[in-house]
Amino acid sequence: MQLDEPTLQQITVDVCQSMLGLALTPISSDIDTAKQLVASVEIRGGRTAAVDVFAHEHLMAAIAETMFCAERSSLSAEEIRDAFGEIANMIGGNVKGAFGEESDLSLPTIGEANDSLDRLPHECLRTTFECCGHPLTIVLREADKKAPPVELSAVV
Amino acid sequence: MKVLIVDDSKAMRMIVQRTLKQAGFANIQAIEAANGVEALQMIADQSPDIVLSDWNMPEMKGIELLTTLRSNGKHVPLGFITSESSPEIREQATAAGAAFVIIKPFTPAAFEQALKPLMA
């Protein structure tokens, strides 16, 4: 199955809004990634792709507050990263399911976003929401089957 | 009733606990493990009544946990709670003897439907 932006948006809404109660509003994806972090999972097998979730550290903390039902002051940096990684894991798992081909899902990794959104290939799928007053960007990068193998995690 | 929640994400273990309560399972004692290896030890030490396990974890995946339990003659009911929503995962889980598969994102209603028969 070829994934389109509405499907990626729906998966994100199901994870963040329906399950966690975080309100999402679609916005322009022209986002400054300074001080943002990215949580990534890779899908390898019948289809090879990566799902990246970009968020500012304030949004990561807000997500963690919701997931842990706790004030930010009581959460450790590790707990905030854990919650953010789980968002990428859930979105990535559902993207893998939507592909409908046998493949493996990696554990999430988290790194600095820097200017990685600007360096993404044009053909990747991206969608951005406003969440808790901050942008939340989801990117699906799929490897071209005809092209030589690429290191999907190189963007992080 | 003692429920072992196995997930490498602490945030997700907390959400699962919360969702169990929202689904009406108030009288449970939740214990936690971060991967299959820890879970095997806790099952041996604490004999939970039900195991709720993630699929994709470091050290030992959920499906390896289930097959190891069954090959060791342990028949504690085990259900998966996973973002792995593909049909082959569900088939693999069912073939290995999983009681159910709940897909993340989930709702309290999904927990109620899957767990009620085991809680009776």
Coordinates of all heavy atoms in Angstrom, one line a residue, chain A residues 14-15 19-20 66-69 79 82-83 86 89-90 93-94 96-98 101-108, chain B residues 7-12 14-15 18-19 54 56-58 61 83-89 103-107:
Chain A
D14 N -4.7 9.2 15.7 CA -5.1 8.1 16.5 C -4.2 7.9 17.7 O -4.7 7.6 18.8 CB -5.1 6.8 15.7 CG -6.2 6.7 14.7 OD1 -7.2 7.5 14.8 OD2 -6.2 5.9 13.7
V15 N -2.9 8.1 17.5 CA -2.0 7.9 18.6 C -2.1 9.0 19.6 O -2.2 8.8 20.8 CB -0.5 7.8 18.0 CG1 0.5 7.9 19.2 CG2 -0.4 6.5 17.3
M19 N -5.8 8.4 21.7 CA -5.3 7.6 22.8 C -4.9 8.5 24.0 O -5.2 8.2 25.1 CB -4.2 6.7 22.4 CG -3.6 5.9 23.5 SD -2.4 4.7 22.8 CE -1.6 4.1 24.3
L20 N -4.1 9.6 23.7 CA -3.5 10.3 24.7 C -4.3 11.6 25.1 O -4.0 12.3 26.1 CB -2.1 10.7 24.3 CG -1.1 9.5 24.1 CD1 0.2 10.0 23.6 CD2 -1.0 8.7 25.4
T66 N 1.6 14.1 29.9 CA 0.3 13.4 29.6 C 0.5 11.9 29.8 O -0.4 11.3 30.4 CB -0.1 13.7 28.1 OG1 -0.3 15.1 28.0 CG2 -1.4 13.0 27.8
M67 N 1.6 11.3 29.3 CA 1.7 9.9 29.3 C 1.9 9.4 30.7 O 1.4 8.3 31.1 CB 2.8 9.4 28.4 CG 2.5 9.6 26.9 SD 3.8 9.2 25.7 CE 3.6 7.4 25.6
F68 N 2.7 10.2 31.5 CA 3.0 9.7 32.9 C 1.9 10.3 33.9 O 2.0 9.9 35.1 CB 4.4 10.2 33.3 CG 5.5 9.4 32.8 CD1 6.2 9.7 31.7 CD2 5.9 8.2 33.4 CE1 7.3 9.0 31.2 CE2 6.9 7.4 32.9 CZ 7.6 7.8 31.8
C69 N 1.1 11.2 33.4 CA 0.1 11.8 34.4 C 0.9 12.5 35.5 O 0.6 12.3 36.7 CB -0.9 10.9 34.9 SG -2.4 10.9 34.1
E79 N 12.8 9.8 31.2 CA 11.4 9.5 31.1 C 10.8 10.3 30.0 O 9.9 9.9 29.3 CB 10.7 9.9 32.4 CG 11.0 8.8 33.5 CD 10.5 9.2 34.9 OE1 10.4 10.4 35.2 OE2 10.3 8.3 35.7
D82 N 11.8 8.7 26.8 CA 11.1 7.4 26.7 C 9.7 7.6 26.1 O 9.2 6.9 25.2 CB 11.0 6.8 28.1 CG 10.1 5.6 28.2 OD1 10.1 4.7 27.3 OD2 9.3 5.5 29.2
A83 N 9.0 8.6 26.7 CA 7.6 8.9 26.2 C 7.7 9.4 24.7 O 6.8 8.9 23.9 CB 7.0 10.0 27.0
E86 N 8.2 6.4 22.5 CA 7.0 5.6 22.3 C 6.0 6.1 21.3 O 5.3 5.4 20.6 CB 6.4 5.4 23.7 CG 5.3 4.4 23.8 CD 5.7 3.0 23.3 OE1 6.9 2.6 23.5 OE2 4.8 2.2 22.8
N89 N 7.4 4.9 18.1 CA 7.2 3.5 18.0 C 5.7 3.2 17.6 O 5.5 2.3 16.7 CB 7.5 2.9 19.4 CG 7.2 1.4 19.4 OD1 7.7 0.6 18.5 ND2 6.4 0.9 20.4
M90 N 4.8 3.9 18.2 CA 3.4 3.6 17.9 C 3.0 4.0 16.4 O 2.4 3.3 15.7 CB 2.4 4.3 18.9 CG 2.4 3.6 20.2 SD 1.0 4.3 21.3 CE 1.8 5.7 22.0
G93 N 4.8 1.6 14.1 CA 4.2 0.3 14.0 C 2.9 0.3 13.2 O 2.6 -0.6 12.5
N94 N 2.2 1.4 13.3 CA 1.0 1.5 12.5 C 1.3 1.8 11.0 O 0.5 1.3 10.1 CB 0.0 2.5 13.1 CG -0.7 2.0 14.3 OD1 -1.8 1.4 14.1 ND2 -0.1 2.1 15.4
K96 N 3.9 0.6 9.5 CA 4.3 -0.8 9.1 C 3.1 -1.6 8.8 O 3.1 -2.4 7.8 CB 5.2 -1.4 10.2 CG 5.6 -2.9 9.9 CD 6.4 -3.4 11.1 CE 6.6 -4.9 11.0 NZ 5.7 -5.7 11.7
G97 N 2.1 -1.6 9.7 CA 0.9 -2.3 9.4 C 0.2 -1.9 8.2 O -0.4 -2.7 7.4
A98 N 0.2 -0.6 7.9 CA -0.5 -0.1 6.7 C 0.2 -0.5 5.4 O -0.4 -0.6 4.4 CB -0.6 1.5 6.8
E101 N 3.2 -5.4 4.3 CA 4.2 -6.4 3.9 C 5.0 -6.8 5.1 O 5.2 -6.1 6.1 CB 5.1 -5.7 2.9 CG 4.4 -5.4 1.6 CD 5.4 -4.9 0.5 OE1 6.5 -5.4 0.5 OE2 4.9 -4.0 -0.3
E102 N 5.5 -8.1 5.1 CA 6.3 -8.6 6.2 C 7.6 -7.8 6.3 O 8.3 -7.7 5.4 CB 6.6 -10.1 5.9 CG 6.9 -10.8 7.2 CD 6.8 -12.3 7.1 OE1 6.1 -12.8 6.2 OE2 7.5 -13.0 7.9
S103 N 7.8 -7.3 7.5 CA 9.0 -6.5 7.8 C 9.2 -6.4 9.3 O 8.3 -6.8 10.0 CB 8.9 -5.1 7.1 OG 7.6 -4.5 7.5
D104 N 10.4 -5.9 9.6 CA 10.7 -5.7 11.1 C 10.7 -4.2 11.4 O 11.0 -3.4 10.6 CB 12.1 -6.3 11.4 CG 12.1 -7.8 11.2 OD1 11.1 -8.4 11.7 OD2 13.1 -8.3 10.7
L105 N 10.3 -4.0 12.7 CA 10.3 -2.6 13.2 C 11.5 -2.5 14.2 O 11.6 -3.3 15.1 CB 9.0 -2.3 13.9 CG 8.7 -0.9 14.4 CD1 8.6 0.1 13.2 CD2 7.5 -0.9 15.3
S106 N 12.3 -1.4 14.1 CA 13.4 -1.2 15.0 C 12.8 -0.6 16.3 O 11.7 -0.1 16.4 CB 14.4 -0.3 14.4 OG 14.0 1.0 14.4
L107 N 13.7 -0.6 17.3 CA 13.4 0.1 18.5 C 13.6 1.6 18.2 O 14.4 1.9 17.4 CB 14.3 -0.3 19.7 CG 14.1 -1.8 20.2 CD1 15.2 -2.2 21.1 CD2 12.8 -1.9 20.8
P108 N 13.0 2.5 18.9 CA 13.2 3.9 18.6 C 14.5 4.5 19.1 O 15.1 4.0 20.1 CB 12.0 4.6 19.4 CG 11.6 3.7 20.4 CD 11.9 2.3 20.0
Chain B
D7 N 7.0 -4.2 29.2 CA 7.3 -3.2 28.1 C 8.5 -2.4 28.4 O 8.8 -2.1 29.6 CB 6.1 -2.2 28.0 CG 6.0 -1.5 26.7 OD1 7.0 -0.9 26.3 OD2 5.0 -1.5 26.0
D8 N 9.4 -2.2 27.4 CA 10.6 -1.5 27.6 C 10.4 0.0 27.8 O 11.3 0.7 28.3 CB 11.6 -1.7 26.4 CG 11.0 -1.3 25.1 OD1 9.8 -1.6 24.9 OD2 11.7 -0.7 24.3
S9 N 9.2 0.5 27.6 CA 8.8 1.9 27.8 C 8.1 2.0 29.1 O 7.0 1.5 29.3 CB 7.9 2.5 26.7 OG 7.4 3.7 27.1
K10 N 8.7 2.8 30.0 CA 8.1 3.0 31.3 C 6.8 3.8 31.2 O 5.8 3.6 31.9 CB 9.1 3.8 32.2 CG 8.6 4.1 33.6 CD 9.7 4.9 34.4 CE 9.2 5.2 35.8 NZ 10.2 6.1 36.5
A11 N 6.8 4.8 30.2 CA 5.6 5.5 29.9 C 4.4 4.6 29.5 O 3.3 4.8 30.0 CB 5.9 6.6 28.9
M12 N 4.7 3.6 28.7 CA 3.7 2.7 28.2 C 3.2 1.8 29.3 O 2.0 1.5 29.4 CB 4.2 1.9 27.0 CG 3.1 1.1 26.3 SD 1.5 1.9 26.0 CE 2.1 3.2 24.8
M14 N 3.0 2.6 32.4 CA 2.1 3.4 33.2 C 0.7 3.6 32.5 O -0.3 3.5 33.1 CB 2.7 4.8 33.4 CG 2.0 5.7 34.4 SD 3.1 6.9 35.1 CE 3.9 5.9 36.3
I15 N 0.7 3.8 31.2 CA -0.5 3.9 30.4 C -1.3 2.6 30.5 O -2.5 2.7 30.6 CB -0.2 4.4 29.0 CG1 0.3 5.8 28.9 CG2 -1.5 4.2 28.1 CD1 0.8 6.3 27.6
R18 N -3.0 2.4 33.8 CA -4.1 3.4 33.9 C -5.3 2.9 33.1 O -6.4 3.0 33.5 CB -3.6 4.7 33.3 CG -4.4 5.9 33.8 CD -3.7 7.2 33.7 NE -3.2 7.6 32.3 CZ -2.0 7.9 32.0 NH1 -1.0 8.0 32.9 NH2 -1.6 8.2 30.8
T19 N -5.0 2.3 31.9 CA -6.1 1.8 31.0 C -6.8 0.7 31.7 O -8.0 0.5 31.5 CB -5.5 1.5 29.6 OG1 -4.8 2.6 29.1 CG2 -6.7 1.2 28.7
D54 N 4.5 -6.3 25.6 CA 4.9 -5.6 24.3 C 5.5 -6.7 23.4 O 5.9 -7.8 23.9 CB 5.9 -4.5 24.6 CG 6.2 -3.6 23.5 OD1 5.5 -3.6 22.5 OD2 7.2 -2.9 23.5
N56 N 8.0 -5.8 20.7 CA 9.3 -5.4 20.3 C 10.1 -4.8 21.5 O 9.8 -3.7 21.8 CB 9.2 -4.4 19.2 CG 10.4 -4.3 18.3 OD1 11.3 -5.2 18.3 ND2 10.4 -3.3 17.4
M57 N 11.0 -5.6 22.0 CA 11.8 -5.1 23.2 C 13.2 -5.5 23.1 O 13.5 -6.5 22.4 CB 11.2 -5.7 24.5 CG 9.8 -5.3 24.8 SD 9.1 -6.1 26.3 CE 8.9 -7.8 25.7
P58 N 14.1 -4.8 23.7 CA 15.5 -5.3 23.8 C 15.6 -6.5 24.7 O 14.7 -6.8 25.4 CB 16.3 -4.1 24.4 CG 15.3 -3.3 25.1 CD 13.9 -3.6 24.5
K61 N 12.4 -10.4 23.0 CA 11.1 -9.9 22.4 C 9.9 -10.7 23.1 O 10.1 -11.8 23.7 CB 11.1 -10.2 20.9 CG 12.0 -9.3 20.1 CD 11.7 -9.4 18.7 CE 12.6 -8.4 17.9 NZ 12.2 -8.3 16.5
S83 N 2.3 -2.1 19.0 CA 2.0 -1.2 17.8 C 2.2 -2.0 16.5 O 1.9 -1.5 15.5 CB 3.0 0.0 17.8 OG 4.3 -0.4 17.7
E84 N 2.6 -3.3 16.6 CA 2.8 -4.1 15.5 C 1.5 -4.6 15.0 O 0.9 -5.6 15.5 CB 3.7 -5.3 15.8 CG 5.1 -4.9 16.3 CD 6.1 -4.9 15.2 OE1 5.7 -5.1 14.0 OE2 7.3 -4.6 15.4
S85 N 0.9 -3.9 14.0 CA -0.5 -4.2 13.7 C -0.7 -5.1 12.4 O -1.8 -5.3 11.9 CB -1.2 -2.9 13.4 OG -0.6 -2.2 12.4
S86 N 0.4 -5.7 12.0 CA 0.3 -6.5 10.7 C -0.3 -7.9 11.0 O -0.2 -8.4 12.1 CB 1.7 -6.6 10.1 OG 2.6 -7.2 11.0
P87 N -1.0 -8.4 9.9 CA -1.6 -9.7 10.1 C -0.6 -10.8 10.5 O -1.0 -11.7 11.3 CB -2.2 -10.0 8.7 CG -2.3 -8.7 8.1 CD -1.2 -7.8 8.6
E88 N 0.6 -10.8 10.0 CA 1.5 -11.9 10.3 C 1.9 -11.9 11.7 O 2.2 -13.0 12.3 CB 2.8 -11.8 9.4 CG 3.8 -10.7 9.6 CD 3.5 -9.5 8.7 OE1 2.4 -9.4 8.1 OE2 4.4 -8.7 8.5
I89 N 2.0 -10.7 12.4 CA 2.3 -10.7 13.8 C 1.1 -11.3 14.6 O 1.3 -12.1 15.5 CB 2.4 -9.2 14.3 CG1 3.7 -8.6 13.6 CG2 2.4 -9.1 15.8 CD1 5.0 -9.0 14.2
I103 N -3.8 -3.8 19.8 CA -3.0 -2.9 19.0 C -2.9 -1.5 19.6 O -3.9 -0.9 20.0 CB -3.5 -2.8 17.6 CG1 -3.6 -4.2 16.9 CG2 -2.5 -1.9 16.7 CD1 -2.3 -5.0 16.8
K104 N -1.7 -0.9 19.8 CA -1.5 0.5 20.2 C -1.7 1.3 18.9 O -1.1 1.0 17.9 CB -0.1 0.7 20.7 CG 0.3 -0.1 21.9 CD 1.8 0.2 22.1 CE 2.4 -0.8 23.1 NZ 3.9 -0.6 23.2
P105 N -2.4 2.4 19.0 CA -3.1 3.0 20.1 C -4.4 2.2 20.5 O -5.1 1.7 19.6 CB -3.5 4.4 19.7 CG -3.6 4.3 18.2 CD -2.6 3.3 17.8
F106 N -4.6 2.1 21.8 CA -5.8 1.3 22.2 C -6.7 2.1 23.1 O -6.4 3.3 23.4 CB -5.3 0.1 23.1 CG -4.2 0.5 24.1 CD1 -4.6 1.2 25.2 CD2 -2.9 0.1 23.9 CE1 -3.6 1.6 26.2 CE2 -1.9 0.5 24.9 CZ -2.3 1.2 26.0
T107 N -7.9 1.5 23.4 CA -8.9 2.2 24.2 C -9.2 1.3 25.4 O -8.9 0.1 25.4 CB -10.2 2.4 23.4 OG1 -10.7 1.1 23.1 CG2 -10.0 3.2 22.2

